[in-house]
Amino acid sequence: MKFAHFADVHIGSWRDPRLKDCSTQAFNKAIDLCISEKVDFVLIAGDLFNTSMPAIDGLKVVTRRFKELSDLSIPVYIIAGSHDFSPSGKTMIDVLEEAGLVKNVVKGSIVDNRLRLNFTVDKKTGAKITGMLGRRGMLERQFYESLDLSALENEPGFKIFMLHTALSEFKPKDLDKVDATPLSYLPKGFNYYAGGHVHYIFEKNEPGYGLITYPGALFPANFKEMEEFGHGGLYIVDEKSSKYVPITLFERIAFNIDCKGRKPKDVEQELLNKISSSQLQNAIVTLRLSGKLSEGKTSDIDFKRIFDLIYSKNAYFAMRNTNALESEEFEEIKIDADSIEEIEERIIKEHLGQIKIDNEEQLVKDLMKILNKEKLEGEKNADFEKRIVEEMREFVN
Amino acid sequence: MVKGQVVSGQFGEILVRQKSGEQIEIGELLFAESNNSHMILQVYDLVYGSQLTQQQLELISGMKLEENTDMEFMNAELRNYVLAKVKTLLTINDKGTHIPKQLPDFFSNVREVRKDDLGFITKPNDPLFLGKLRSGSHMIDIDVSLEGVKVLQHHILIAATTGRGKSNLVKSMLWNILDTDYCGILVLDPHDEYYGRNSFGLKNHSRRDKVVYYSKTPVTGGRSLKVNLKTIKPGHFNGAVNWSDAQTEALYAYYKKYGDEWIEAILLEKEIEHFMEGTTGVVRRRMMSLLDLYVRDGQIFSNGIFDTTSGFTTIKDIVNDLENTKVVVVDTSAFTGSSEILVGSLIVNEVFGRYKHHKLAGTLDKKPVISIVLEEAPRVLGKNVLEQGSNIFETIAREGRKFKIGLTAITQLPSLIPREILANMNTKIILGLEMGPERQAIIESASQDLSEDSRNIAALDKGEAIVTSNFSRFALPIKIPLFEESVKHPNQKPIQSYQKEYLGIQIV
């Protein structure tokens, strides 16, 4: 028996046009690997799509590849995740299941007031697969609370439990704020626990349970993951071993600059020097700047110049994170106020004079007024965006 | 119903003659009515009174015992009676309640206290329910709840001999705390008795989402207690293990050199300069024993709760839950005493660090008070232990109240705790204590004058207690209802009601 396990593909997640197709490309690579590795079946532990109703482009690719697997008699067992689950039941996973391309293993019955999950048996290998979907806000917790564990635990054979939730005991240290389910909610004695939802690579043979793995996202889903991993990946598992296989689309080159006590121009120059001396061909470049500048504003660092240099070296994509970058000129202001308008009023006053513009206060208020406008009933997003841009342009002119 | 009359005595030692046919008990609350004000009195001793001399009484007894003389007293109820020694607890007048500064009127009648006499006992906004008011051995249907934030912040000491109802009291307190949202409680539970693993317990509360249970072997819904080695620092061992000076220096040297991988470095015998092989060898062996780890083929394996691959967020998770006003029960029944203290030390250090930060950031006011329930408190607060060096529990006992962190320390032997720490514990719940020195230690550090109450304390039956607190007007006698009988057994939410919510699961 040999199978592949991946999760959190998040097809359609990135908005930037250059990264938009990356999750689909990673998915393609993963399917290629499943075929070349001649796996008996594929497990997808939630969040194949970034929404329950994904865009047609990504859906077409997924459907075509699942059909290819189906033609090769490689079944796909899947659970819904917190992104592609829909309370209404209208999810694309159901459509794919109706078409016979995937098998959603989250099925059960109510026996003696408890939820008894059914096993889906893989015909070729006899592996018994079941699992629990993931929902936003850990709403699946009530399902776990009502699970009939003994029925699952007493089932003989090679058993796989798919889950789309973080486990309290195994959360990575930087995700302590993430909601999690205690391990004790899972049935014991399964051979394999196919995890999803938490984007980290984790593997542990837990006494009393079995092999628990999380492959993380198939393609990094945000700056932090891009910086930390630079790639996604999946597990290839057989009866004897498990192997994490990275799926790499681009080389990732990370620049991490400590700006504490430095001038914006010095930081900018250091970055330019480092970029100049690096090979960035077809790489994804991450820039992380942190610390408090000794003078000036963060906007004094000319990021346009830096990004131009990066792209002139044929990098595929560049992204920056300046969340932990502070400047002396923008200190946090603590205020007591009762209404949002009052807070806005006072914050505007606190910041007046930082930029040389006539009638600055009124300008800021008017800008906020325009940006605060809401979408009209029946107005399309594109029209809404156009209307706001036009109003802004008119105002600035 | 008149129970007696004030006949003599002095302030703090008033004599009340018991009316024949009435029974006055030690600890009983009495009510003395006067023209301008009333007083609540409490009996602390009982003696016989007689109009006859002692010699006459002994002679009469001899005639009955030795000669079978059939003798009856004429107007017996006038000749022999019981005198109760009482003290004044509170004066009540139309301006409110006051600490007494006067004697009750001479010959004033005293009667048993009634519920409507005690209208001044009200429920605070942040109630910490302790029990029902008690008069002698009789329970009065008045809930005794103190101001939870203040009481928890200024530490509680629960003193009692085994079998006097400590666990019942703590269970009852925790159960009632779950209905409130002003505090987070960490319970280090060496007997695994609060969560209700196999019986009725906190897990059965209607707000069970507020109960978090950690155990080495959790039941469904509980969390496995896993603590990653990287979260441990040398200071966490203070109070848990007695290291020699050389060993302590070695710990810090490893920490300095290897950072959060210092324990792994010790176990894997990584290089460290300036230390004798014997010293590092002992440190390694003791560390392996304490943390229940072993090394094979250059890899560290865990038998217990301390691990290299999991438990990265356990301590933070616990503190997050405490900040979210949850009751976190850590089952330490499977640990050695040292391991239990180490786990406690890890959590309490994190709580203390975080609340210090909140204070600096000016956000402490918005945070709930956190209390740490600690059994057998002298293990970390005992004089002998503190002579070896300070630990985080002592720090909390001395400074915690400034940071909204308190201890709920439980002990049979309060005399082992240094006097200045006992004095810092501003609420004491005293259950039965037979041993004189233990009673004395409590009496000397009580918030109210209990100097005459030694006998009263010794006479406390199971479930009876005296609460002395800076936050109550007088030492409150209470009866703690039996947990299993008193709490409402909430109906478990029927599973069927989830059915319509089984969204996403194909029910076949």
Side-chain angles (χ1 to χ4, degrees):
Chain A
M1 184 189 308
K2 190 177 189 181
F3 61 88
H5 159 212
F6 58 87
D8 298 283
V9 189
H10 291 286
I11 283 177
S13 58
W14 285 97
R15 288 192 178 175
D16 190 284
R18 280 163 294 186
L19 294 179
K20 199 170 183 179
D21 290 336
C22 287
S23 46
T24 316
Q25 285 180 49
F27 174 75
N28 269 326
K29 274 201 156 192
I31 299 298
D32 289 344
L33 186 74
C34 293
I35 293 168
S36 66
E37 285 276 346
K38 295 188 173 60
V39 299
D40 293 309
F41 55 87
V42 175
L43 305 174
I44 303 177
D47 285 352
L48 169 62
F49 300 110
N50 204 47
T51 65
S52 57
M53 297 295 280
I56 297 295
D57 293 352
L59 185 61
K60 266 168 70 179
V61 175
V62 169
T63 311
R64 190 177 69 239
R65 299 310 309 265
F66 280 168
K67 175 72 171 59
E68 203 177 327
L69 289 178
S70 174
D71 291 345
L72 291 166
S73 298
I74 302 174
V76 175
Y77 302 107
I78 195 166
I79 61 173
S82 47
H83 279 77
D84 51 14
F85 166 83
S86 163
S88 66
K90 292 175 187 168
T91 87
M92 205 44 74
I93 291 171
D94 289 346
V95 177
L96 293 171
E97 187 171 29
E98 283 292 316
L101 296 176
V102 299
K103 191 89 175 168
N104 186 342
V105 300
V106 189
K107 294 182 172 64
S109 53
I110 308 299
V111 180
D112 296 334
N113 293 335
R114 301 203 75 79
L115 172 62
R116 182 174 291 181
L117 288 175
N118 294 348
F119 283 98
T120 299
V121 181
D122 180 63
K123 282 182 188 159
K124 204 191 311 176
T125 61
K128 295 174 178 175
I129 306 161
T130 188
M132 182 60 78
L133 54 87
R135 293 180 63 183
R136 280 186 197 276
M138 283 285 295
L139 287 174
E140 74 272 17
R141 191 184 175 98
Q142 62 183 24
F143 301 163
Y144 278 108
E145 280 177 4
S146 64
L147 258 190
D148 180 354
L149 292 177
S150 57
L152 294 172
E153 290 168 354
N154 292 334
E155 181 77 19
F158 187 94
K159 294 182 290 184
I160 296 172
F161 191 88
M162 300 175 71
L163 63 148
H164 188 83
T165 187
L167 292 172
S168 321
E169 292 82 351
F170 306 130
K171 276 192 297 180
K173 61 181 167 188
D174 53 338
L175 294 181
D176 63 301
K177 296 272 161 60
V178 169
D179 283 334
T181 300
L183 179 63
S184 65
Y185 274 133
L186 301 190
K188 289 183 178 169
F190 274 52
N191 298 77
Y192 190 79
Y193 296 81
H197 185 52
V198 197
H199 294 193
Y200 77 140
I201 304 156
F202 178 81
E203 180 178 347
K204 185 171 171 66
N205 212 328
E206 179 66 11
Y209 287 84
L211 182 61
I212 301 170
T213 70
Y214 282 85
L218 204 54
F219 181 75
N222 54 41
F223 180 94
K224 183 178 162 290
E225 288 170 35
M226 190 68 82
E227 184 187 45
E228 187 177 346
F229 304 116
H231 61 77
L234 76 166
Y235 272 96
I236 300 288
V237 187
D238 60 28
E239 283 118 325
K240 290 179 187 163
S241 65
S242 59
K243 176 178 67 172
Y244 175 78
V245 184
I247 300 284
T248 307
L249 299 183
F250 304 96
E251 186 186 0
R252 186 266 295 114
I253 296 172
F255 296 102
N256 198 333
I257 307 289
D258 183 2
C259 306
K260 189 180 170 189
R262 301 176 63 187
K263 295 173 183 170
K265 287 298 163 199
D266 293 345
V267 171
E268 183 182 321
Q269 195 54 52
E270 184 188 340
L271 266 172
L272 290 171
N273 292 344
K274 283 190 169 177
I275 291 162
S276 299
S277 60
S278 303
Q279 288 291 329
L280 304 179
Q281 177 80 27
N282 207 30
I284 290 180
V285 178
T286 62
L287 307 177
R288 183 184 287 276
L289 280 72
S290 58
K292 196 177 211 173
L293 293 165
S294 62
E295 62 178 54
K297 301 188 287 287
T298 54
S299 58
D300 291 341
I301 300 171
D302 189 347
F303 282 105
K304 185 176 179 306
R305 193 174 164 210
I306 293 165
F307 274 59
D308 284 347
L309 180 63
I310 292 171
Y311 285 118
S312 73
K313 295 181 73 87
N314 293 322
Y316 180 77
F317 189 67
M319 52 177 72
R320 66 173 161 146
N321 184 317
T322 53
N323 293 345
L325 181 64
E326 298 172 56
S327 71
E328 291 285 356
E329 296 182 18
F330 282 89
E331 289 288 339
E332 186 184 358
I333 298 161
K334 288 195 172 19
I335 53 171
D336 292 320
D338 293 322
S339 68
I340 291 172
E341 290 73 22
E342 199 182 336
I343 293 170
E344 285 174 353
E345 182 85 20
R346 291 176 66 174
I347 289 178
I348 291 168
K349 284 200 160 68
E350 292 280 0
H351 282 90
L352 284 179
Q354 297 194 21
I355 315 165
K356 298 270 177 278
I357 305 174
D358 293 337
N359 202 6
E360 189 184 346
E361 186 176 352
Q362 193 54 47
L363 178 84
V364 174
K365 282 182 183 173
D366 290 343
L367 272 173
M368 285 174 68
K369 205 170 166 184
I370 293 169
L371 291 169
N372 198 32
K373 286 193 173 166
E374 292 187 0
K375 202 168 97 170
L376 302 172
E377 188 73 26
E379 189 179 33
K380 289 183 177 172
N381 280 343
D383 294 338
F384 174 50
E385 191 179 330
K386 197 174 163 192
R387 180 164 61 90
I388 298 292
V389 170
E390 275 172 6
E391 282 188 34
M392 284 283 288
R393 189 169 289 141
E394 198 179 319
F395 173 74
V396 174
N397 289 337
Chain B
M1 180 77 73
V2 174
K3 291 197 97 172
Q5 207 162 51
V6 174
V7 290
S8 65
Q10 57 187 358
F11 196 82
E13 190 184 342
I14 299 160
L15 284 178
V16 171
R17 183 198 184 281
Q18 179 182 285
K19 186 175 186 301
S20 66
E22 294 296 327
Q23 288 290 331
I24 294 179
E25 294 180 326
I26 280 202
E28 185 166 350
L29 298 177
L30 298 171
F31 194 79
E33 294 184 48
S34 301
N35 289 335
N36 299 326
S37 61
H38 311 307
M39 279 185 184
I40 292 184
L41 314 169
Q42 189 179 32
V43 181
Y44 65 83
D45 207 353
L46 293 168
V47 292
Y48 288 111
S50 179
Q51 290 300 305
L52 307 175
T53 65
Q54 186 63 24
Q55 276 181 321
Q56 287 170 322
L57 289 170
E58 288 166 12
L59 177 63
I60 293 164
S61 174
M63 290 165 73
K64 277 188 168 186
L65 288 170
E66 313 300 339
E67 298 175 2
N68 288 327
T69 309
D70 189 15
M71 289 178 65
E72 287 295 330
F73 282 105
M74 189 180 289
N75 296 332
E77 66 278 6
L78 292 178
R79 288 178 165 72
N80 298 312
Y81 38 82
V82 169
L83 290 172
K85 289 185 181 177
V86 305
K87 60 179 179 179
T88 47
L89 294 182
L90 211 60
T91 301
I92 306 170
N93 58 24
D94 49 7
K95 289 177 185 164
T97 59
H98 311 277
I99 302 290
K101 291 187 171 59
Q102 295 170 343
L103 285 168
D105 290 350
F106 201 60
F107 270 118
S108 58
N109 286 340
V110 296
R111 59 168 171 80
E112 62 186 4
V113 80
R114 291 192 298 251
K115 190 176 174 181
D116 56 358
D117 299 326
L118 303 163
F120 58 89
I121 300 181
T122 52
K123 188 177 178 181
N125 292 330
D126 52 348
L128 177 65
F129 173 78
L130 299 176
K132 296 277 187 186
L133 195 69
R134 177 178 56 83
S135 175
S137 59
H138 302 288
M139 199 159 78
I140 303 173
D141 188 21
I142 292 177
D143 286 351
V144 174
S145 297
L146 298 182
E147 292 169 90
V149 172
K150 284 182 185 167
V151 168
L152 291 174
Q153 186 170 340
H154 289 78
H155 313 300
I156 299 175
L157 183 82
I158 299 174
T161 322
T162 308
R164 292 303 180 97
K166 288 190 297 273
S167 304
N168 186 61
L169 166 66
V170 176
K171 266 188 206 171
S172 170
M173 281 168 68
L174 295 175
W175 182 274
N176 286 286
I177 277 172
L178 284 171
D179 287 320
T180 69
D181 289 307
Y182 65 81
C183 64
I185 308 281
L186 170 69
V187 187
L188 298 172
D189 182 2
H191 308 296
D192 195 15
E193 59 190 334
Y194 299 122
Y195 181 71
R197 171 184 282 267
N198 299 313
S199 58
F200 188 80
L202 298 181
K203 72 172 190 307
N204 302 96
H205 198 281
S206 58
R207 295 187 72 183
R208 60 182 177 276
D209 57 306
K210 285 190 68 186
V211 184
V212 185
Y213 177 61
Y214 281 88
S215 173
K216 191 180 171 187
T217 52
V219 285
T220 305
R223 299 183 192 170
S224 316
L225 184 60
K226 306 256 186 194
V227 178
N228 197 276
L229 293 185
K230 287 189 170 66
T231 59
I232 305 175
K233 295 185 173 71
H236 291 139
F237 290 98
N238 295 349
V241 186
N242 290 328
W243 302 102
S244 69
D245 289 347
Q247 289 163 353
T248 305
E249 282 171 26
L251 297 186
Y252 281 96
Y254 271 110
Y255 184 63
K256 194 174 175 192
K257 182 166 182 182
Y258 294 99
D260 63 7
E261 291 182 355
W262 69 286
I263 294 180
E264 288 169 67
I266 290 173
L267 299 184
L268 298 175
E269 298 178 272
K270 290 193 179 169
E271 187 192 345
I272 191 88
E273 298 83 18
H274 314 305
F275 286 95
M276 305 274 287
E277 216 170 275
T279 304
T280 54
V282 173
V283 167
R284 180 172 179 265
R285 279 197 304 278
R286 293 188 70 186
M287 195 72 91
M288 282 206 286
S289 162
L290 178 68
L291 304 178
D292 209 358
L293 300 165
Y294 64 98
V295 177
R296 195 170 58 205
D297 300 331
Q299 264 196 299
I300 299 168
F301 294 91
S302 163
N303 283 324
I305 58 162
F306 298 100
D307 202 355
T308 53
T309 55
S310 51
F312 282 105
T313 63
T314 303
I315 303 299
K316 281 187 177 176
D317 288 345
I318 289 174
V319 180
N320 290 343
D321 285 332
L322 292 172
E323 279 198 47
N324 287 319
T325 70
K326 293 188 180 179
V327 172
V328 180
V329 180
V330 181
D331 162 26
T332 58
S333 60
F335 306 167
T336 61
S338 299
S339 302
E340 183 190 2
I341 302 298
L342 177 58
V343 170
S345 173
L346 280 158
I347 302 169
V348 178
N349 265 294
E350 177 76 20
V351 171
F352 193 49
R354 207 179 286 187
Y355 267 47
K356 264 182 164 174
H357 172 78
H358 291 322
K359 185 162 190 180
L360 278 173
T363 52
L364 190 61
D365 287 349
K366 293 176 186 142
K367 297 291 168 186
V369 62
I370 289 178
S371 182
I372 296 127
V373 179
L374 188 64
E375 298 253 1
E376 294 168 44
R379 286 182 300 166
V380 285
L381 297 177
K383 290 168 194 159
N384 292 346
V385 178
L386 297 178
E387 276 167 14
Q388 312 273 343
S390 181
N391 61 60
I392 185 66
F393 299 98
E394 187 208 10
T395 308
I396 296 294
R398 291 183 192 278
E399 300 178 38
R401 66 180 185 280
K402 290 184 270 180
F403 301 95
K404 287 180 90 170
I405 308 168
L407 291 178
T408 299
I410 303 170
T411 181
Q412 300 184 41
L413 302 168
S415 67
L416 297 183
I417 299 174
R419 193 183 159 87
E420 63 271 28
I421 290 185
L422 276 183
N424 266 344
M425 300 191 154
N426 289 337
T427 299
K428 296 185 179 71
I429 305 175
I430 309 160
L431 293 107
L433 273 175
E434 281 98 357
M435 289 182 281
E438 305 310 326
R439 287 202 300 273
Q440 203 52 36
I442 286 284
I443 288 168
E444 285 173 0
S445 61
S447 303
Q448 280 91 14
D449 177 19
L450 299 182
S451 55
E452 301 295 340
D453 280 274
S454 185
R455 216 160 289 175
N456 191 2
I457 294 169
L460 290 172
D461 208 347
K462 187 173 182 175
E464 294 177 354
I466 295 171
V467 180
T468 163
S469 173
N470 286 13
F471 310 102
S472 70
R473 302 304 301 266
F474 60 93
L476 294 154
I478 60 165
K479 171 86 179 169
I480 302 141
L482 205 56
F483 174 73
E484 279 80 1
E485 291 173 5
S486 63
V487 301
K488 289 176 192 160
H489 285 235
N491 290 326
Q492 293 282 346
K493 190 177 181 184
I495 298 294
Q496 291 100 317
S497 66
Y498 285 144
Q499 271 198 29
K500 62 177 187 296
E501 300 163 23
Y502 277 130
L503 299 169
I505 299 179
Q506 295 179 28
I507 302 294
V508 290

